[in-house]
Coordinates of all heavy atoms in Angstrom, one line a residue:
M1 N 18.2 -53.6 -26.3 CA 18.7 -53.1 -27.6 C 18.4 -54.2 -28.7 O 18.5 -55.4 -28.4 CB 20.2 -52.9 -27.5 CG 20.8 -52.3 -28.7 SD 22.5 -51.8 -28.5 CE 22.3 -50.1 -28.2
D2 N 18.0 -53.7 -29.8 CA 17.6 -54.7 -30.9 C 18.8 -55.4 -31.5 O 19.9 -54.8 -31.6 CB 16.9 -53.9 -32.1 CG 15.5 -53.4 -31.7 OD1 15.0 -54.0 -30.7 OD2 15.0 -52.5 -32.3
T3 N 18.6 -56.7 -31.8 CA 19.6 -57.4 -32.5 C 19.4 -57.4 -34.0 O 18.2 -57.3 -34.4 CB 19.7 -58.9 -32.0 OG1 18.4 -59.5 -32.2 CG2 20.0 -59.0 -30.5
Y4 N 20.5 -57.6 -34.7 CA 20.3 -57.6 -36.2 C 20.4 -59.1 -36.7 O 21.1 -59.9 -36.2 CB 21.5 -56.9 -36.8 CG 21.5 -55.4 -36.6 CD1 22.3 -54.8 -35.7 CD2 20.6 -54.6 -37.4 CE1 22.3 -53.4 -35.5 CE2 20.6 -53.2 -37.2 CZ 21.4 -52.6 -36.3 OH 21.4 -51.3 -36.1
N5 N 19.5 -59.3 -37.7 CA 19.6 -60.7 -38.3 C 20.8 -60.7 -39.2 O 21.4 -59.7 -39.5 CB 18.3 -61.1 -39.0 CG 18.0 -60.2 -40.2 OD1 18.9 -59.6 -40.8 ND2 16.7 -60.1 -40.5
E6 N 21.1 -61.9 -39.7 CA 22.3 -62.1 -40.5 C 22.3 -61.2 -41.8 O 23.4 -60.5 -42.0 CB 22.5 -63.5 -40.9 CG 23.7 -63.7 -41.8 CD 24.2 -65.2 -41.9 OE1 23.5 -66.1 -41.4 OE2 25.3 -65.4 -42.5
D7 N 21.2 -61.1 -42.5 CA 21.2 -60.3 -43.7 C 21.5 -58.8 -43.4 O 22.3 -58.1 -44.1 CB 19.8 -60.4 -44.4 CG 19.7 -61.7 -45.1 OD1 20.7 -62.4 -45.2 OD2 18.6 -62.0 -45.5
T8 N 20.9 -58.3 -42.4 CA 21.1 -56.9 -42.0 C 22.5 -56.6 -41.5 O 23.2 -55.7 -41.9 CB 20.1 -56.4 -41.0 OG1 18.8 -56.9 -41.4 CG2 20.1 -54.9 -40.9
A9 N 23.0 -57.6 -40.7 CA 24.4 -57.5 -40.2 C 25.4 -57.5 -41.4 O 26.3 -56.7 -41.4 CB 24.6 -58.6 -39.2
L10 N 25.1 -58.3 -42.3 CA 26.1 -58.4 -43.5 C 26.0 -57.1 -44.3 O 27.1 -56.7 -44.8 CB 25.7 -59.6 -44.4 CG 26.0 -61.0 -43.9 CD1 25.5 -62.1 -44.8 CD2 27.5 -61.1 -43.7
A11 N 24.9 -56.5 -44.4 CA 24.8 -55.2 -45.1 C 25.6 -54.1 -44.4 O 26.3 -53.3 -45.0 CB 23.3 -54.8 -45.3
I12 N 25.5 -54.1 -43.0 CA 26.2 -53.1 -42.3 C 27.7 -53.4 -42.3 O 28.6 -52.5 -42.4 CB 25.8 -53.1 -40.8 CG1 24.3 -52.7 -40.7 CG2 26.6 -52.2 -39.9 CD1 23.6 -52.9 -39.4
L13 N 28.1 -54.7 -42.4 CA 29.5 -55.1 -42.4 C 30.2 -54.7 -43.7 O 31.4 -54.6 -43.7 CB 29.7 -56.6 -42.2 CG 29.5 -57.1 -40.8 CD1 29.7 -58.6 -40.8 CD2 30.4 -56.4 -39.8
K14 N 29.4 -54.4 -44.7 CA 30.1 -54.0 -46.0 C 30.8 -52.6 -45.8 O 31.7 -52.3 -46.5 CB 29.0 -53.8 -47.1 CG 28.6 -55.1 -47.6 CD 27.7 -55.0 -48.8 CE 27.3 -56.4 -49.3 NZ 26.1 -56.4 -50.1
E15 N 30.4 -51.9 -44.8 CA 31.0 -50.6 -44.5 C 32.3 -50.7 -43.6 O 33.0 -49.8 -43.4 CB 30.0 -49.6 -43.8 CG 29.0 -49.1 -44.8 CD 27.7 -48.7 -44.1 OE1 27.8 -48.2 -43.0 OE2 26.6 -49.0 -44.6
L16 N 32.5 -51.9 -43.1 CA 33.7 -52.2 -42.3 C 34.6 -53.1 -43.1 O 34.3 -53.6 -44.2 CB 33.3 -52.9 -41.0 CG 32.4 -52.1 -40.1 CD1 31.8 -53.0 -39.0 CD2 33.2 -51.0 -39.5
K17 N 35.8 -53.3 -42.6 CA 36.8 -54.1 -43.3 C 37.1 -55.4 -42.7 O 37.5 -55.5 -41.6 CB 38.1 -53.2 -43.4 CG 39.1 -53.7 -44.5 CD 40.2 -52.8 -44.6 CE 41.4 -53.4 -45.2 NZ 41.2 -54.5 -46.2
D18 N 36.8 -56.5 -43.5 CA 37.2 -57.9 -43.2 C 36.5 -58.5 -42.0 O 37.0 -59.4 -41.4 CB 38.7 -58.0 -43.0 CG 39.5 -57.6 -44.3 OD1 38.9 -57.8 -45.4 OD2 40.6 -57.1 -44.2
W19 N 35.4 -57.9 -41.5 CA 34.6 -58.6 -40.5 C 33.6 -59.5 -41.1 O 33.1 -59.3 -42.2 CB 33.8 -57.5 -39.7 CG 34.7 -56.6 -38.8 CD1 35.3 -55.5 -39.2 CD2 35.0 -56.8 -37.4 NE1 36.0 -55.0 -38.1 CE2 35.9 -55.8 -37.0 CE3 34.7 -57.8 -36.5 CZ2 36.4 -55.6 -35.7 CZ3 35.2 -57.7 -35.2 CH2 36.0 -56.6 -34.8
T20 N 33.4 -60.7 -40.4 CA 32.5 -61.7 -40.9 C 31.4 -61.9 -39.9 O 31.6 -61.6 -38.7 CB 33.2 -63.0 -41.2 OG1 33.8 -63.5 -40.0 CG2 34.2 -62.9 -42.3
F21 N 30.3 -62.4 -40.3 CA 29.2 -62.7 -39.4 C 29.2 -64.2 -39.2 O 29.3 -65.0 -40.1 CB 27.8 -62.4 -40.0 CG 26.7 -62.6 -39.1 CD1 26.2 -61.6 -38.3 CD2 26.0 -63.8 -39.1 CE1 25.1 -61.7 -37.5 CE2 24.9 -64.0 -38.2 CZ 24.5 -63.0 -37.4
N22 N 29.3 -64.7 -37.9 CA 29.3 -66.1 -37.6 C 28.6 -66.4 -36.3 O 28.9 -65.8 -35.3 CB 30.8 -66.5 -37.5 CG 30.9 -68.0 -37.4 OD1 30.1 -68.8 -37.9 ND2 31.9 -68.5 -36.6
N23 N 27.6 -67.3 -36.4 CA 27.0 -67.8 -35.2 C 26.5 -66.6 -34.2 O 26.8 -66.6 -33.1 CB 28.0 -68.7 -34.4 CG 27.3 -69.5 -33.3 OD1 26.1 -69.7 -33.3 ND2 28.1 -69.9 -32.3
N24 N 25.8 -65.7 -34.9 CA 25.2 -64.5 -34.1 C 26.2 -63.6 -33.5 O 26.0 -63.0 -32.4 CB 24.2 -65.0 -33.1 CG 22.8 -65.1 -33.7 OD1 22.4 -64.3 -34.5 ND2 22.2 -66.2 -33.3
G25 N 27.4 -63.5 -34.1 CA 28.4 -62.5 -33.7 C 29.2 -62.1 -34.9 O 29.0 -62.6 -36.0
I26 N 30.0 -61.0 -34.7 CA 30.9 -60.6 -35.8 C 32.3 -60.9 -35.4 O 32.7 -60.7 -34.2 CB 30.6 -59.1 -36.2 CG1 30.8 -58.2 -35.1 CG2 29.2 -59.0 -36.8 CD1 30.7 -56.7 -35.6
E27 N 33.1 -61.3 -36.4 CA 34.5 -61.7 -36.1 C 35.5 -61.2 -37.1 O 35.2 -60.9 -38.2 CB 34.5 -63.3 -36.1 CG 33.6 -63.9 -35.2 CD 33.5 -65.5 -35.3 OE1 34.1 -66.0 -36.3 OE2 32.9 -66.1 -34.4
K28 N 36.7 -61.0 -36.6 CA 37.8 -60.6 -37.4 C 39.1 -61.1 -36.9 O 39.3 -61.2 -35.7 CB 37.9 -59.0 -37.5 CG 38.9 -58.5 -38.5 CD 38.7 -57.0 -38.7 CE 39.9 -56.4 -39.6 NZ 39.6 -55.0 -39.9
K29 N 40.0 -61.5 -37.8 CA 41.3 -62.0 -37.4 C 42.4 -61.0 -37.8 O 42.4 -60.4 -38.9 CB 41.6 -63.3 -38.2 CG 40.7 -64.5 -37.8 CD 41.0 -65.7 -38.6 CE 40.0 -66.8 -38.4 NZ 40.0 -67.4 -37.1
F30 N 43.3 -60.7 -36.8 CA 44.4 -59.7 -37.0 C 45.7 -60.5 -36.9 O 45.9 -61.4 -36.1 CB 44.3 -58.7 -35.9 CG 43.0 -57.8 -35.9 CD1 41.9 -58.3 -35.3 CD2 43.0 -56.6 -36.6 CE1 40.7 -57.5 -35.3 CE2 41.8 -55.8 -36.6 CZ 40.7 -56.3 -36.0
V31 N 46.6 -60.1 -37.7 CA 48.0 -60.6 -37.7 C 49.0 -59.5 -37.5 O 49.0 -58.5 -38.2 CB 48.3 -61.4 -39.0 CG1 49.7 -62.1 -38.9 CG2 47.2 -62.5 -39.2
F32 N 49.9 -59.7 -36.6 CA 50.9 -58.7 -36.3 C 52.3 -59.3 -36.5 O 52.5 -60.5 -36.8 CB 50.8 -58.2 -34.8 CG 49.4 -57.6 -34.6 CD1 48.3 -58.3 -34.2 CD2 49.2 -56.2 -34.9 CE1 47.1 -57.7 -34.0 CE2 48.0 -55.6 -34.8 CZ 46.9 -56.4 -34.3
K33 N 53.3 -58.4 -36.3 CA 54.7 -58.9 -36.6 C 55.2 -59.9 -35.5 O 56.0 -60.8 -35.8 CB 55.7 -57.6 -36.5 CG 55.8 -56.9 -37.9 CD 56.9 -55.9 -37.9 CE 56.8 -55.0 -36.7 NZ 57.1 -53.6 -37.0
N34 N 54.7 -59.7 -34.3 CA 55.2 -60.5 -33.2 C 54.2 -60.4 -32.0 O 53.2 -59.7 -32.1 CB 56.6 -60.1 -32.8 CG 56.7 -58.6 -32.6 OD1 55.8 -58.0 -31.9 ND2 57.7 -57.9 -33.1
F35 N 54.6 -61.1 -31.0 CA 53.7 -61.1 -29.8 C 53.5 -59.7 -29.2 O 52.4 -59.3 -28.7 CB 54.2 -62.1 -28.7 CG 53.4 -62.1 -27.5 CD1 52.1 -62.7 -27.5 CD2 53.8 -61.6 -26.3 CE1 51.3 -62.7 -26.4 CE2 53.1 -61.6 -25.2 CZ 51.8 -62.2 -25.2
S36 N 54.6 -59.0 -29.1 CA 54.6 -57.7 -28.5 C 53.6 -56.7 -29.2 O 52.9 -56.0 -28.5 CB 56.0 -57.1 -28.6 OG 56.1 -55.9 -28.0
E37 N 53.6 -56.8 -30.5 CA 52.7 -55.9 -31.3 C 51.2 -56.4 -31.0 O 50.3 -55.6 -30.9 CB 52.9 -56.0 -32.8 CG 54.3 -55.6 -33.2 CD 54.4 -54.0 -33.3 OE1 53.4 -53.4 -33.8 OE2 55.5 -53.5 -33.0
A38 N 51.0 -57.7 -31.0 CA 49.7 -58.3 -30.7 C 49.2 -57.9 -29.4 O 48.1 -57.5 -29.2 CB 49.7 -59.8 -30.9
L39 N 50.1 -57.9 -28.4 CA 49.7 -57.6 -27.0 C 49.4 -56.1 -26.9 O 48.4 -55.7 -26.2 CB 50.9 -57.9 -26.1 CG 50.6 -57.8 -24.6 CD1 49.4 -58.8 -24.2 CD2 51.8 -58.2 -23.8
G40 N 50.2 -55.2 -27.6 CA 49.9 -53.8 -27.6 C 48.5 -53.5 -28.1 O 47.7 -52.7 -27.6
F41 N 48.1 -54.3 -29.2 CA 46.8 -54.1 -29.8 C 45.7 -54.6 -28.8 O 44.7 -53.9 -28.7 CB 46.8 -55.0 -31.1 CG 45.4 -55.1 -31.7 CD1 44.8 -54.0 -32.3 CD2 44.7 -56.3 -31.8 CE1 43.6 -54.1 -32.9 CE2 43.5 -56.4 -32.3 CZ 42.9 -55.3 -32.9
I42 N 46.0 -55.7 -28.2 CA 45.0 -56.2 -27.2 C 44.7 -55.2 -26.1 O 43.6 -54.9 -25.7 CB 45.4 -57.5 -26.6 CG1 45.4 -58.6 -27.6 CG2 44.6 -57.9 -25.4 CD1 46.1 -59.9 -27.2
V43 N 45.8 -54.5 -25.6 CA 45.6 -53.5 -24.6 C 44.8 -52.3 -25.1 O 43.9 -51.8 -24.4 CB 47.0 -53.1 -24.1 CG1 46.9 -51.8 -23.2 CG2 47.7 -54.2 -23.3
Q44 N 45.1 -51.9 -26.3 CA 44.3 -50.8 -26.9 C 42.9 -51.2 -27.1 O 42.0 -50.4 -26.8 CB 44.9 -50.4 -28.3 CG 46.2 -49.7 -28.2 CD 46.6 -49.2 -29.5 OE1 46.1 -48.2 -30.0 NE2 47.6 -49.8 -30.2
V45 N 42.6 -52.4 -27.5 CA 41.2 -52.9 -27.6 C 40.6 -52.9 -26.3 O 39.4 -52.5 -26.1 CB 41.2 -54.3 -28.3 CG1 39.8 -54.9 -28.2 CG2 41.6 -54.2 -29.7
G46 N 41.3 -53.3 -25.3 CA 40.8 -53.3 -23.9 C 40.4 -51.9 -23.4 O 39.3 -51.7 -22.8
L47 N 41.2 -50.9 -23.7 CA 40.9 -49.6 -23.3 C 39.6 -49.0 -24.0 O 38.8 -48.4 -23.4 CB 42.1 -48.6 -23.6 CG 43.4 -49.0 -22.7 CD1 44.5 -48.1 -23.2 CD2 43.1 -48.7 -21.3
L48 N 39.5 -49.3 -25.3 CA 38.3 -48.9 -26.1 C 37.1 -49.6 -25.5 O 36.0 -49.0 -25.4 CB 38.5 -49.4 -27.5 CG 39.4 -48.6 -28.5 CD1 39.4 -49.3 -29.8 CD2 38.8 -47.2 -28.7
S49 N 37.3 -50.9 -25.1 CA 36.1 -51.6 -24.6 C 35.6 -51.0 -23.3 O 34.4 -50.9 -23.1 CB 36.5 -53.1 -24.3 OG 37.0 -53.6 -25.5
E50 N 36.6 -50.6 -22.5 CA 36.2 -50.0 -21.2 C 35.5 -48.6 -21.4 O 34.5 -48.3 -20.8 CB 37.4 -49.8 -20.3 CG 37.9 -51.1 -19.7 CD 36.9 -51.6 -18.6 OE1 36.0 -52.3 -19.0 OE2 37.1 -51.2 -17.4
Q51 N 36.0 -47.9 -22.4 CA 35.4 -46.6 -22.8 C 33.9 -46.8 -23.2 O 33.0 -46.1 -22.9 CB 36.1 -45.9 -23.9 CG 37.4 -45.2 -23.6 CD 38.1 -44.7 -24.8 OE1 37.6 -44.8 -25.9 NE2 39.4 -44.4 -24.6
Q52 N 33.7 -47.9 -24.0 CA 32.4 -48.2 -24.5 C 31.5 -49.0 -23.6 O 30.3 -49.2 -24.0 CB 32.5 -48.8 -25.9 CG 33.3 -47.9 -26.9 CD 33.1 -48.2 -28.4 OE1 32.5 -49.2 -28.7 NE2 33.8 -47.5 -29.2
G53 N 32.1 -49.6 -22.6 CA 31.3 -50.4 -21.7 C 30.8 -51.7 -22.4 O 29.8 -52.3 -22.1
H54 N 31.6 -52.1 -23.4 CA 31.2 -53.3 -24.2 C 32.5 -54.1 -24.5 O 33.5 -53.5 -24.9 CB 30.6 -52.8 -25.5 CG 29.8 -53.9 -26.2 ND1 28.8 -54.5 -25.6 CD2 30.0 -54.4 -27.4 CE1 28.3 -55.4 -26.5 NE2 29.1 -55.4 -27.6
H55 N 32.5 -55.4 -24.3 CA 33.7 -56.1 -24.3 C 33.8 -57.3 -25.3 O 32.8 -58.0 -25.4 CB 33.9 -56.7 -22.8 CG 33.9 -55.5 -21.8 ND1 32.8 -55.1 -21.3 CD2 34.9 -54.8 -21.4 CE1 33.1 -54.0 -20.5 NE2 34.4 -53.8 -20.5
P56 N 35.0 -57.4 -25.9 CA 35.1 -58.5 -26.9 C 35.5 -59.8 -26.3 O 36.0 -59.9 -25.2 CB 36.3 -57.9 -27.8 CG 37.1 -57.2 -26.7 CD 36.2 -56.6 -25.7
E57 N 35.3 -60.8 -27.1 CA 36.0 -62.1 -26.9 C 37.3 -62.0 -27.6 O 37.3 -61.8 -28.8 CB 35.1 -63.3 -27.4 CG 33.8 -63.4 -26.6 CD 32.8 -64.4 -27.2 OE1 33.3 -65.4 -27.7 OE2 31.7 -64.0 -27.2
L58 N 38.4 -62.3 -26.9 CA 39.7 -62.2 -27.5 C 40.4 -63.5 -27.5 O 40.4 -64.2 -26.4 CB 40.6 -61.2 -26.8 CG 40.1 -59.7 -26.7 CD1 40.8 -58.9 -25.7 CD2 40.3 -59.1 -28.1
F59 N 41.1 -63.9 -28.6 CA 41.8 -65.1 -28.6 C 43.2 -64.8 -29.3 O 43.3 -64.3 -30.4 CB 41.1 -66.2 -29.5 CG 41.8 -67.5 -29.5 CD1 41.8 -68.4 -28.4 CD2 42.6 -67.9 -30.7 CE1 42.5 -69.6 -28.5 CE2 43.2 -69.1 -30.7 CZ 43.2 -70.0 -29.6
N60 N 44.3 -65.1 -28.5 CA 45.6 -64.7 -29.0 C 46.5 -66.0 -29.0 O 46.6 -66.8 -28.1 CB 46.2 -63.7 -28.0 CG 47.7 -63.5 -28.2 OD1 48.4 -63.8 -27.2 ND2 48.1 -63.1 -29.3
V61 N 47.2 -66.1 -30.1 CA 48.3 -67.1 -30.2 C 49.5 -66.3 -30.9 O 49.4 -65.9 -32.0 CB 48.0 -68.3 -31.1 CG1 49.2 -69.3 -31.1 CG2 46.8 -69.1 -30.5
Y62 N 50.5 -66.1 -30.1 CA 51.7 -65.4 -30.5 C 51.4 -64.0 -31.3 O 51.1 -63.0 -30.6 CB 52.7 -66.3 -31.4 CG 53.9 -65.6 -31.8 CD1 54.7 -64.9 -30.8 CD2 54.3 -65.5 -33.1 CE1 55.9 -64.3 -31.2 CE2 55.5 -64.9 -33.5 CZ 56.3 -64.2 -32.5 OH 57.4 -63.6 -32.9
N63 N 51.5 -64.0 -32.6 CA 51.3 -62.7 -33.3 C 49.8 -62.6 -33.9 O 49.6 -61.7 -34.6 CB 52.3 -62.6 -34.5 CG 52.1 -63.7 -35.6 OD1 51.6 -64.8 -35.3 ND2 52.4 -63.3 -36.8
K64 N 49.0 -63.5 -33.5 CA 47.6 -63.5 -34.0 C 46.6 -63.2 -32.9 O 46.7 -63.6 -31.8 CB 47.2 -64.8 -34.7 CG 48.1 -65.2 -35.8 CD 47.5 -66.3 -36.6 CE 48.3 -66.7 -37.9 NZ 49.4 -67.7 -37.6
V65 N 45.6 -62.3 -33.3 CA 44.5 -62.0 -32.4 C 43.2 -62.2 -33.1 O 43.0 -61.5 -34.2 CB 44.6 -60.5 -31.9 CG1 43.5 -60.2 -30.9 CG2 46.0 -60.3 -31.2
D66 N 42.4 -63.0 -32.6 CA 41.0 -63.2 -33.2 C 40.0 -62.5 -32.2 O 40.1 -62.7 -31.0 CB 40.6 -64.7 -33.2 CG 41.5 -65.5 -34.2 OD1 42.3 -64.9 -34.9 OD2 41.4 -66.7 -34.1
I67 N 39.2 -61.7 -32.8 CA 38.2 -60.9 -32.0 C 36.8 -61.4 -32.4 O 36.5 -61.5 -33.6 CB 38.3 -59.4 -32.2 CG1 39.7 -59.0 -31.7 CG2 37.2 -58.7 -31.5 CD1 39.9 -57.5 -31.6
R68 N 36.0 -61.6 -31.4 CA 34.5 -61.9 -31.7 C 33.7 -60.9 -30.9 O 34.0 -60.7 -29.7 CB 34.2 -63.3 -31.3 CG 32.7 -63.6 -31.4 CD 32.5 -65.1 -31.1 NE 31.0 -65.3 -30.9 CZ 30.2 -65.5 -31.9 NH1 30.6 -65.6 -33.1 NH2 28.9 -65.6 -31.6
L69 N 32.8 -60.3 -31.5 CA 31.9 -59.3 -30.9 C 30.4 -59.8 -30.9 O 29.9 -60.1 -32.0 CB 32.0 -57.9 -31.5 CG 33.4 -57.3 -31.6 CD1 33.3 -56.0 -32.3 CD2 34.0 -57.1 -30.2
S70 N 29.8 -59.8 -29.8 CA 28.4 -60.0 -29.7 C 27.9 -59.4 -28.4 O 28.7 -59.1 -27.6 CB 28.0 -61.5 -29.8 OG 28.3 -62.1 -28.5
T71 N 26.6 -59.1 -28.4 CA 26.0 -58.5 -27.2 C 25.4 -59.6 -26.4 O 24.3 -60.1 -26.7 CB 25.0 -57.4 -27.6 OG1 25.7 -56.5 -28.4 CG2 24.5 -56.7 -26.3
H72 N 26.1 -60.0 -25.3 CA 25.6 -61.2 -24.5 C 24.2 -60.9 -23.9 O 23.4 -61.8 -24.0 CB 26.7 -61.5 -23.4 CG 28.0 -61.6 -24.0 ND1 29.1 -61.1 -23.3 CD2 28.5 -62.2 -25.1 CE1 30.2 -61.4 -24.1 NE2 29.9 -62.0 -25.1
D73 N 24.0 -59.7 -23.4 CA 22.8 -59.4 -22.8 C 21.6 -59.6 -23.8 O 20.5 -59.9 -23.4 CB 22.7 -58.0 -22.3 CG 23.7 -57.8 -21.1 OD1 24.3 -58.8 -20.6 OD2 24.0 -56.6 -20.8
A74 N 21.8 -59.2 -25.1 CA 20.8 -59.3 -26.1 C 20.8 -60.6 -26.9 O 20.0 -60.8 -27.8 CB 20.9 -58.1 -27.0
K75 N 21.8 -61.4 -26.6 CA 22.0 -62.7 -27.4 C 22.1 -62.5 -28.9 O 21.4 -63.2 -29.6 CB 20.9 -63.7 -27.0 CG 20.9 -64.1 -25.6 CD 19.9 -65.2 -25.3 CE 20.0 -65.8 -23.9 NZ 19.8 -64.9 -22.8
G76 N 22.9 -61.6 -29.3 CA 23.0 -61.3 -30.8 C 23.9 -60.1 -31.0 O 24.6 -59.6 -30.1
V77 N 23.8 -59.6 -32.3 CA 24.6 -58.5 -32.7 C 23.8 -57.2 -32.6 O 22.7 -57.2 -33.1 CB 25.2 -58.7 -34.1 CG1 25.9 -57.5 -34.6 CG2 26.1 -59.9 -34.2
T78 N 24.3 -56.2 -31.9 CA 23.6 -54.9 -31.8 C 24.6 -53.8 -32.3 O 25.7 -54.0 -32.6 CB 23.2 -54.7 -30.4 OG1 24.4 -54.4 -29.6 CG2 22.4 -55.8 -29.8
D79 N 24.1 -52.6 -32.2 CA 24.9 -51.4 -32.6 C 26.1 -51.3 -31.7 O 27.1 -50.8 -32.2 CB 24.1 -50.1 -32.5 CG 23.1 -49.9 -33.6 OD1 23.5 -50.4 -34.7 OD2 22.0 -49.3 -33.4
K80 N 26.1 -51.8 -30.5 CA 27.2 -51.8 -29.6 C 28.4 -52.5 -30.3 O 29.6 -52.2 -30.1 CB 26.9 -52.4 -28.3 CG 26.0 -51.6 -27.4 CD 25.8 -52.2 -26.1 CE 24.9 -51.4 -25.2 NZ 24.7 -52.0 -23.9
D81 N 28.1 -53.6 -30.9 CA 29.1 -54.4 -31.6 C 29.7 -53.7 -32.8 O 30.9 -53.7 -33.0 CB 28.6 -55.8 -32.0 CG 28.1 -56.5 -30.7 OD1 28.9 -56.8 -29.8 OD2 26.9 -56.8 -30.7
F82 N 28.8 -53.1 -33.6 CA 29.3 -52.3 -34.7 C 30.1 -51.1 -34.3 O 31.2 -50.8 -34.9 CB 28.2 -52.0 -35.7 CG 27.6 -53.1 -36.4 CD1 26.3 -53.5 -36.1 CD2 28.3 -53.9 -37.3 CE1 25.7 -54.6 -36.7 CE2 27.8 -55.0 -37.9 CZ 26.4 -55.4 -37.6
D83 N 29.7 -50.5 -33.2 CA 30.5 -49.3 -32.8 C 31.9 -49.7 -32.3 O 32.8 -49.0 -32.6 CB 29.7 -48.6 -31.6 CG 28.4 -47.9 -32.1 OD1 28.3 -47.7 -33.3 OD2 27.6 -47.5 -31.2
L84 N 31.9 -50.8 -31.6 CA 33.2 -51.3 -31.1 C 34.1 -51.7 -32.3 O 35.3 -51.5 -32.3 CB 33.1 -52.4 -30.1 CG 34.4 -52.9 -29.4 CD1 35.2 -51.7 -28.8 CD2 34.1 -54.0 -28.3
A85 N 33.5 -52.4 -33.2 CA 34.2 -52.9 -34.4 C 34.8 -51.7 -35.2 O 36.0 -51.7 -35.6 CB 33.3 -53.7 -35.4
K86 N 34.0 -50.6 -35.3 CA 34.5 -49.4 -36.0 C 35.7 -48.8 -35.3 O 36.7 -48.4 -35.9 CB 33.4 -48.4 -36.2 CG 32.4 -48.7 -37.3 CD 31.3 -47.7 -37.3 CE 30.1 -48.2 -38.1 NZ 28.9 -47.6 -37.8
A87 N 35.6 -48.7 -34.0 CA 36.7 -48.2 -33.1 C 37.9 -49.0 -33.2 O 39.0 -48.5 -33.3 CB 36.2 -48.0 -31.7
I88 N 37.8 -50.3 -33.2 CA 38.9 -51.2 -33.3 C 39.6 -51.0 -34.7 O 40.9 -51.0 -34.7 CB 38.5 -52.7 -33.1 CG1 38.1 -53.0 -31.7 CG2 39.6 -53.7 -33.6 CD1 37.4 -54.3 -31.4
D89 N 38.9 -50.9 -35.7 CA 39.5 -50.7 -37.0 C 40.3 -49.3 -37.1 O 41.2 -49.2 -38.0 CB 38.4 -50.7 -38.1 CG 38.1 -52.2 -38.5 OD1 38.8 -53.1 -38.1 OD2 37.1 -52.3 -39.3
T90 N 39.9 -48.4 -36.3 CA 40.7 -47.1 -36.3 C 42.1 -47.2 -35.7 O 42.9 -46.4 -35.9 CB 39.9 -46.0 -35.6 OG1 39.9 -46.3 -34.2 CG2 38.6 -45.7 -36.2
I91 N 42.3 -48.3 -34.9 CA 43.6 -48.4 -34.2 C 44.5 -49.5 -34.9 O 45.5 -49.8 -34.4 CB 43.5 -48.8 -32.7 CG1 42.7 -50.1 -32.5 CG2 42.9 -47.6 -32.0 CD1 42.7 -50.6 -31.1
T92 N 44.1 -49.9 -36.1 CA 45.0 -50.9 -36.8 C 45.5 -50.3 -38.1 O 45.1 -49.2 -38.5 CB 44.2 -52.2 -37.3 OG1 43.0 -51.8 -37.9 CG2 43.9 -53.0 -36.1
Ligands
LIG101 N1 30.0 -56.8 -23.4 C1 29.4 -57.6 -24.3 N2 30.0 -58.0 -25.4 N3 28.1 -57.9 -24.1 C2 27.4 -57.5 -23.1 O1 26.2 -57.9 -23.0 C3 28.0 -56.7 -22.1 C4 29.4 -56.4 -22.3 N4 27.4 -56.2 -21.1 N5 30.0 -55.7 -21.4 C5 27.9 -55.2 -20.3 C6 29.4 -55.3 -20.2 C7 27.2 -55.2 -19.0 O2 27.4 -56.5 -18.3 C8 27.6 -54.1 -18.0 C9 26.8 -54.1 -16.8 O3 27.5 -52.9 -18.7

């Protein structure tokens, strides 16, 4: 699968909300009311990931969840990452 360079990735990201391009991946930070809400979100992201066969890097501290998406097999950002990002945005 083709990877996108930074310029093209940034153009596609304009159609998404608050995702940034960093070090050949796309990233977004989420803040919730408490750990329970954050954990519920993580579980939903996990289910989406399993549906799509594509998995995020997740970092959680209490009510915060940082997500980083990249396609490890392709060593960059592909449509799989944008598809998962769009799906994640529908559950927030
Ligand atoms: N997730 C991500 N983010 N990148 C991958 O390259 C990847 C994945 N590969 N999930 C998938 C699983 C692959 O290993 C399996 C066999 O589909």
Side-chain angles (χ1 to χ4, degrees):
M1 185 171 263
D2 289 341
T3 57
Y4 290 104
N5 66 26
E6 178 161 8
D7 284 350
T8 314
L10 286 174
I12 296 169
L13 284 183
K14 285 189 179 156
E15 288 153 37
L16 296 171
K17 198 172 155 32
D18 298 332
W19 289 86
T20 58
F21 185 94
N22 185 33
N23 192 23
N24 274 320
I26 58 174
E27 300 176 349
K28 183 168 174 176
K29 294 179 187 294
F30 297 84
V31 182
F32 298 91
K33 276 193 303 226
N34 50 45
F35 177 70
S36 181
E37 299 278 325
L39 189 59
F41 173 69
I42 289 169
V43 170
Q44 289 188 73
V45 169
L47 295 173
L48 284 175
S49 304
E50 283 291 86
Q51 281 170 13
Q52 300 196 0
H54 195 62
H55 302 87
E57 293 169 41
L58 297 167
F59 181 77
N60 164 242
V61 178
Y62 182 52
N63 66 331
K64 299 196 176 89
V65 180
D66 298 348
I67 296 188
R68 174 177 167 84
L69 303 177
S70 73
T71 304
H72 308 137
D73 295 346
K75 297 188 171 59
V77 175
T78 68
D79 282 329
K80 290 183 181 181
D81 300 300
F82 291 114
D83 289 347
L84 184 54
K86 281 177 200 159
I88 289 170
D89 278 353
T90 66
I91 58 170
T92 51

